[in-house]
């Protein structure tokens, strides 16, 4: 009996689950998310969300399993850690004290 693998699919690259920092790099380049401007950061987060939902649609369309909730959870955890890191930095504290 033949077992189908997602890696055998010609569109595997489009369906592959990627870490959020790699998807954000498509928008930000070499700039870490913590140092990006608000507009670029928002665009990076939108790109991550689009990649997750498009990947789920592709995997479902061709009959492969999808861990969309896990992908979203990892992206949210990564974004939270980035926010905490910015908040703990001297620049982040200076911005918070001005408000």
């Amino acid at each position: 009996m033949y077992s189908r693998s997602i890696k055998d699919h010609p569109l595997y690259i489009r369906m592959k689950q990627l870490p959020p920092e790699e998807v954000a790099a498509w928008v930000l380049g070499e700039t870490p998310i913590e140092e990006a401007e608000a507009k670029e950061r928002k665009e990076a987060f939108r790109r991550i969300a689009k990649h997750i939902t498009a990947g789920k649609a592709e995997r479902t369309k061709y009959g492969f399993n999808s861990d969309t909730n896990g992908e979203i959870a990892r992206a949210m955890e990564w974004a939270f850690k980035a926010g905490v890191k910015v908040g703990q930095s001297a620049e982040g504290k200076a911005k918070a004290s001005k408000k």
Side-chain angles (χ1 to χ4, degrees), residues 4-55:
R4 289 182 8 160
S5 171
I6 193 169
K7 293 179 181 175
D8 296 332
H9 195 278
L11 300 177
Y12 173 65
I13 299 301
R14 284 179 42 191
M15 294 188 281
K16 186 177 177 183
Q17 294 179 358
L18 298 173
E21 46 283 335
E22 185 175 331
V23 179
W26 297 347
V27 175
L28 301 174
E30 295 294 320
T31 307
I33 193 76
E34 298 88 3
E35 296 174 13
E37 294 295 322
K39 184 178 177 184
E40 293 173 335
R41 198 169 39 247
K42 184 176 181 178
E43 187 179 338
F45 290 139
R46 283 182 176 277
R47 183 68 179 129
I48 293 166
K50 186 175 182 179
H51 178 74
I52 291 170
T53 56

Side-chain angles (χ1 to χ4, degrees), residues 28-99:
L28 301 174
E30 295 294 320
T31 307
I33 193 76
E34 298 88 3
E35 296 174 13
E37 294 295 322
K39 184 178 177 184
E40 293 173 335
R41 198 169 39 247
K42 184 176 181 178
E43 187 179 338
F45 290 139
R46 283 182 176 277
R47 183 68 179 129
I48 293 166
K50 186 175 182 179
H51 178 74
I52 291 170
T53 56
K56 186 229 185 288
E58 287 286 327
R59 288 187 294 272
T60 304
K61 179 179 177 182
Y62 294 106
F64 297 107
N65 292 336
S66 180
D67 183 21
T68 309
N69 293 337
E71 283 186 89
I72 292 169
R74 284 187 290 277
M76 289 176 64
E77 182 179 1
W78 172 74
F80 175 77
K81 287 179 180 179
V84 168
K85 196 172 183 180
V86 169
Q88 291 176 345
S89 70
E91 184 179 317
K93 289 179 182 178
K95 285 182 181 178
S97 65
K98 289 182 182 179
K99 291 183 180 180

